[in-house]
Amino acid sequence: MYLVSYIVIALAFGICTMLLFRRCAEATPVHLLPGLGVVAAVAVVHAALYWLGTTVGDMLAFRSPEEPGRYSDLNSYVFLGLAAMVALKMMGPYLRREAQLPLFNLADWWAVLAMAVATGVNVLLTGVGVGFVDPQPSIHKVLWPLLTASLLLGYLGLMFGRQKVDLRPRRWMIIACILLLGVAIAAVINA
């Protein structure tokens, strides 16, 4: 996979983080400096789960010692299936008329840790799919785009939530899902 694919995946999950922090900061506003710590903690947990997912996916991928590219199409279909499952899981609550999305208390560190792990499952599953497609990915390609996008967009979402700025979350989630599925479809085409 190219570096652009990792950046697009990072933008997709950064948008999801922005929507999450906008929603949670509106319900329980926190000051900006402790909020930066909360956003950084969630971004670090997401990046760690993403790296763990790519490592597990690399171990589970179908490989042939004689022909390295023999199962690349099968691995890309696994990535497409995981990305489609994650996109449907992310988009599902936004398709309801009265969306009931989870809220977390940003002032409680245990709730923040629970939020990071609960929302990191999608990142972990996508990382497993990326590990199938990209054998032994560089740690820098995996961690830095996701860490940067989650930190910047999550902090932007925190500021939007404190000011109660209307974002139209359904449209933003559609964009995030299209970005994620676009990378998976590109991986299938390039296999």
Side-chain angles (χ1 to χ4, degrees):
M1 279 180 44
Y2 298 110
L3 178 62
V4 174
S5 300
Y6 287 99
I7 292 172
V8 171
I9 290 172
L11 284 175
F13 285 116
I15 290 171
C16 295
T17 306
M18 178 182 70
L19 295 175
L20 174 71
F21 275 105
R22 189 247 173 255
R23 190 173 60 242
C24 292
E26 184 179 13
T28 58
V30 293
H31 294 290
L32 288 179
L33 193 58
L36 180 61
V38 168
V39 172
V42 170
V44 166
V45 170
H46 282 186
L49 288 172
Y50 190 49
W51 173 249
L52 176 68
T54 57
T55 305
V56 170
D58 184 35
M59 287 189 277
L60 294 176
F62 303 104
R63 306 263 191 261
S64 172
E66 297 87 27
E67 297 176 49
R70 183 175 187 178
Y71 297 110
S72 62
D73 56 343
L74 182 63
N75 289 330
S76 64
Y77 285 127
V78 170
F79 177 43
L80 178 63
L82 285 171
M85 183 180 69
V86 168
L88 285 174
K89 186 176 178 271
M90 288 189 319
M91 194 62 204
Y94 291 94
L95 295 177
R96 297 185 193 126
R97 185 173 300 253
E98 296 293 326
Q100 295 181 353
L101 300 164
L103 292 174
F104 297 92
N105 183 4
L106 297 180
D108 182 19
W109 280 98
W110 290 109
V112 169
L113 182 63
M115 173 179 69
V117 173
T119 57
V121 171
N122 294 335
V123 179
L124 177 73
L125 291 174
T126 304
V128 170
V130 167
F132 268 88
V133 175
D134 195 4
Q136 298 176 347
S138 169
I139 191 168
H140 299 292
K141 285 195 322 187
V142 173
L143 291 182
W144 293 115
L146 183 65
L147 195 62
T148 304
S150 292
L151 187 65
L152 293 177
L153 291 173
Y155 197 59
L156 185 67
L158 182 81
M159 289 189 285
F160 284 160
R162 288 188 52 183
Q163 297 295 320
K164 296 180 178 30
V165 175
D166 190 27
L167 279 184
R168 299 186 187 251
R170 184 176 295 155
R171 290 183 185 174
W172 282 103
M173 189 54 73
I174 289 172
I175 291 171
C177 291
I178 288 172
L179 289 174
L180 187 61
L181 288 174
V183 170
I185 292 170
V188 170
I189 291 171
N190 291 333

mmCIF file of all heavy atoms in Angstrom, residues 57-64 67-72 74-75 78 131-132:
data_model
loop_
_atom_site.group_PDB
_atom_site.id
_atom_site.type_symbol
_atom_site.label_atom_id
_atom_site.label_comp_id
_atom_site.label_asym_id
_atom_site.label_seq_id
_atom_site.Cartn_x
_atom_site.Cartn_y
_atom_site.Cartn_z
ATOM 1 N N GLY A 57 -2.721 -8.763 11.400
ATOM 2 C CA GLY A 57 -3.102 -9.016 10.014
ATOM 3 C C GLY A 57 -1.938 -9.529 9.179
ATOM 4 O O GLY A 57 -2.114 -10.393 8.312
ATOM 5 N N ASP A 58 -0.745 -9.015 9.446
ATOM 6 C CA ASP A 58 0.428 -9.493 8.733
ATOM 7 C C ASP A 58 0.724 -10.949 9.082
ATOM 8 O O ASP A 58 1.130 -11.730 8.225
ATOM 9 C CB ASP A 58 1.633 -8.612 9.069
ATOM 10 C CG ASP A 58 2.869 -8.986 8.286
ATOM 11 O OD1 ASP A 58 2.723 -9.383 7.113
ATOM 12 O OD2 ASP A 58 3.973 -8.881 8.839
ATOM 13 N N MET A 59 0.491 -11.327 10.338
ATOM 14 C CA MET A 59 0.714 -12.717 10.737
ATOM 15 C C MET A 59 -0.343 -13.662 10.164
ATOM 16 O O MET A 59 -0.062 -14.818 9.877
ATOM 17 C CB MET A 59 0.736 -12.836 12.264
ATOM 18 C CG MET A 59 1.995 -12.285 12.894
ATOM 19 S SD MET A 59 2.109 -12.681 14.634
ATOM 20 C CE MET A 59 1.114 -11.393 15.339
ATOM 21 N N LEU A 60 -1.575 -13.178 9.987
ATOM 22 C CA LEU A 60 -2.662 -14.020 9.501
ATOM 23 C C LEU A 60 -2.782 -14.053 7.983
ATOM 24 O O LEU A 60 -3.539 -14.871 7.447
ATOM 25 C CB LEU A 60 -3.994 -13.536 10.081
ATOM 26 C CG LEU A 60 -4.183 -13.658 11.591
ATOM 27 C CD1 LEU A 60 -5.509 -13.030 11.993
ATOM 28 C CD2 LEU A 60 -4.126 -15.107 12.018
ATOM 29 N N ALA A 61 -2.067 -13.184 7.297
ATOM 30 C CA ALA A 61 -2.214 -13.060 5.844
ATOM 31 C C ALA A 61 -1.785 -14.333 5.129
ATOM 32 O O ALA A 61 -0.935 -15.085 5.603
ATOM 33 C CB ALA A 61 -1.393 -11.877 5.344
ATOM 34 N N PHE A 62 -2.404 -14.558 3.978
ATOM 35 C CA PHE A 62 -2.082 -15.709 3.145
ATOM 36 C C PHE A 62 -0.824 -15.383 2.342
ATOM 37 O O PHE A 62 -0.812 -14.452 1.557
ATOM 38 C CB PHE A 62 -3.242 -16.028 2.205
ATOM 39 C CG PHE A 62 -4.526 -16.278 2.933
ATOM 40 C CD1 PHE A 62 -5.523 -15.311 2.954
ATOM 41 C CD2 PHE A 62 -4.737 -17.457 3.616
ATOM 42 C CE1 PHE A 62 -6.707 -15.535 3.618
ATOM 43 C CE2 PHE A 62 -5.918 -17.689 4.288
ATOM 44 C CZ PHE A 62 -6.908 -16.726 4.295
ATOM 45 N N ARG A 63 0.222 -16.177 2.535
ATOM 46 C CA ARG A 63 1.488 -15.947 1.847
ATOM 47 C C ARG A 63 2.012 -17.270 1.303
ATOM 48 O O ARG A 63 1.753 -18.333 1.858
ATOM 49 C CB ARG A 63 2.542 -15.372 2.789
ATOM 50 C CG ARG A 63 2.120 -14.131 3.526
ATOM 51 C CD ARG A 63 2.611 -12.866 2.869
ATOM 52 N NE ARG A 63 2.406 -11.722 3.741
ATOM 53 C CZ ARG A 63 1.400 -10.884 3.630
ATOM 54 N NH1 ARG A 63 0.506 -11.065 2.709
ATOM 55 N NH2 ARG A 63 1.281 -9.862 4.448
ATOM 56 N N SER A 64 2.772 -17.192 0.240
ATOM 57 C CA SER A 64 3.416 -18.366 -0.355
ATOM 58 C C SER A 64 4.914 -18.082 -0.451
ATOM 59 O O SER A 64 5.308 -17.059 -1.026
ATOM 60 C CB SER A 64 2.842 -18.630 -1.747
ATOM 61 O OG SER A 64 3.575 -19.636 -2.390
ATOM 62 N N GLU A 67 5.971 -18.004 -4.344
ATOM 63 C CA GLU A 67 5.479 -16.857 -5.108
ATOM 64 C C GLU A 67 4.931 -15.817 -4.128
ATOM 65 O O GLU A 67 3.843 -15.983 -3.592
ATOM 66 C CB GLU A 67 4.359 -17.290 -6.055
ATOM 67 C CG GLU A 67 4.768 -18.271 -7.111
ATOM 68 C CD GLU A 67 3.581 -18.706 -7.937
ATOM 69 O OE1 GLU A 67 2.827 -17.820 -8.390
ATOM 70 O OE2 GLU A 67 3.399 -19.915 -8.096
ATOM 71 N N PRO A 68 5.655 -14.720 -3.903
ATOM 72 C CA PRO A 68 5.206 -13.739 -2.908
ATOM 73 C C PRO A 68 3.859 -13.087 -3.223
ATOM 74 O O PRO A 68 3.101 -12.772 -2.322
ATOM 75 C CB PRO A 68 6.321 -12.692 -2.909
ATOM 76 C CG PRO A 68 7.492 -13.367 -3.514
ATOM 77 C CD PRO A 68 6.966 -14.401 -4.445
ATOM 78 N N GLY A 69 3.529 -12.895 -4.480
ATOM 79 C CA GLY A 69 2.280 -12.217 -4.828
ATOM 80 C C GLY A 69 1.143 -13.144 -5.191
ATOM 81 O O GLY A 69 0.149 -12.714 -5.772
ATOM 82 N N ARG A 70 1.264 -14.407 -4.845
ATOM 83 C CA ARG A 70 0.274 -15.392 -5.276
ATOM 84 C C ARG A 70 -1.107 -15.139 -4.678
ATOM 85 O O ARG A 70 -2.122 -15.290 -5.349
ATOM 86 C CB ARG A 70 0.765 -16.789 -4.889
ATOM 87 C CG ARG A 70 -0.123 -17.889 -5.340
ATOM 88 C CD ARG A 70 0.489 -19.215 -5.029
ATOM 89 N NE ARG A 70 -0.302 -20.283 -5.604
ATOM 90 C CZ ARG A 70 0.028 -21.545 -5.522
ATOM 91 N NH1 ARG A 70 1.126 -21.903 -4.906
ATOM 92 N NH2 ARG A 70 -0.739 -22.462 -6.052
ATOM 93 N N TYR A 71 -1.175 -14.784 -3.413
ATOM 94 C CA TYR A 71 -2.461 -14.605 -2.738
ATOM 95 C C TYR A 71 -2.796 -13.133 -2.502
ATOM 96 O O TYR A 71 -3.610 -12.820 -1.630
ATOM 97 C CB TYR A 71 -2.452 -15.336 -1.393
ATOM 98 C CG TYR A 71 -2.298 -16.832 -1.530
ATOM 99 C CD1 TYR A 71 -1.125 -17.459 -1.131
ATOM 100 C CD2 TYR A 71 -3.311 -17.603 -2.061
ATOM 101 C CE1 TYR A 71 -0.969 -18.826 -1.254
ATOM 102 C CE2 TYR A 71 -3.169 -18.973 -2.195
ATOM 103 C CZ TYR A 71 -2.000 -19.573 -1.788
ATOM 104 O OH TYR A 71 -1.853 -20.928 -1.920
ATOM 105 N N SER A 72 -2.215 -12.243 -3.260
ATOM 106 C CA SER A 72 -2.467 -10.820 -3.016
ATOM 107 C C SER A 72 -3.922 -10.440 -3.286
ATOM 108 O O SER A 72 -4.475 -9.578 -2.592
ATOM 109 C CB SER A 72 -1.524 -9.961 -3.860
ATOM 110 O OG SER A 72 -1.753 -10.189 -5.230
ATOM 111 N N LEU A 74 -6.564 -12.419 -2.841
ATOM 112 C CA LEU A 74 -7.338 -12.936 -1.707
ATOM 113 C C LEU A 74 -7.169 -12.055 -0.476
ATOM 114 O O LEU A 74 -8.143 -11.741 0.215
ATOM 115 C CB LEU A 74 -6.908 -14.373 -1.400
ATOM 116 C CG LEU A 74 -7.644 -15.089 -0.274
ATOM 117 C CD1 LEU A 74 -9.117 -15.238 -0.622
ATOM 118 C CD2 LEU A 74 -7.016 -16.431 -0.009
ATOM 119 N N ASN A 75 -5.937 -11.609 -0.227
ATOM 120 C CA ASN A 75 -5.683 -10.718 0.911
ATOM 121 C C ASN A 75 -6.395 -9.381 0.747
ATOM 122 O O ASN A 75 -6.912 -8.819 1.709
ATOM 123 C CB ASN A 75 -4.181 -10.504 1.083
ATOM 124 C CG ASN A 75 -3.478 -11.731 1.602
ATOM 125 O OD1 ASN A 75 -4.054 -12.525 2.334
ATOM 126 N ND2 ASN A 75 -2.221 -11.896 1.216
ATOM 127 N N VAL A 78 -10.013 -9.785 1.653
ATOM 128 C CA VAL A 78 -10.189 -9.808 3.113
ATOM 129 C C VAL A 78 -10.208 -8.383 3.652
ATOM 130 O O VAL A 78 -11.046 -8.018 4.485
ATOM 131 C CB VAL A 78 -9.080 -10.643 3.782
ATOM 132 C CG1 VAL A 78 -9.107 -10.473 5.291
ATOM 133 C CG2 VAL A 78 -9.214 -12.107 3.415
ATOM 134 N N GLY A 131 -2.970 -5.080 7.458
ATOM 135 C CA GLY A 131 -1.908 -6.060 7.615
ATOM 136 C C GLY A 131 -2.000 -7.183 6.595
ATOM 137 O O GLY A 131 -0.983 -7.746 6.183
ATOM 138 N N PHE A 132 -3.212 -7.523 6.182
ATOM 139 C CA PHE A 132 -3.368 -8.526 5.133
ATOM 140 C C PHE A 132 -2.807 -8.032 3.801
ATOM 141 O O PHE A 132 -2.211 -8.792 3.051
ATOM 142 C CB PHE A 132 -4.847 -8.886 4.959
ATOM 143 C CG PHE A 132 -5.304 -10.034 5.781
ATOM 144 C CD1 PHE A 132 -5.765 -9.837 7.067
ATOM 145 C CD2 PHE A 132 -5.279 -11.320 5.289
ATOM 146 C CE1 PHE A 132 -6.192 -10.897 7.846
ATOM 147 C CE2 PHE A 132 -5.699 -12.390 6.050
ATOM 148 C CZ PHE A 132 -6.159 -12.175 7.335
#
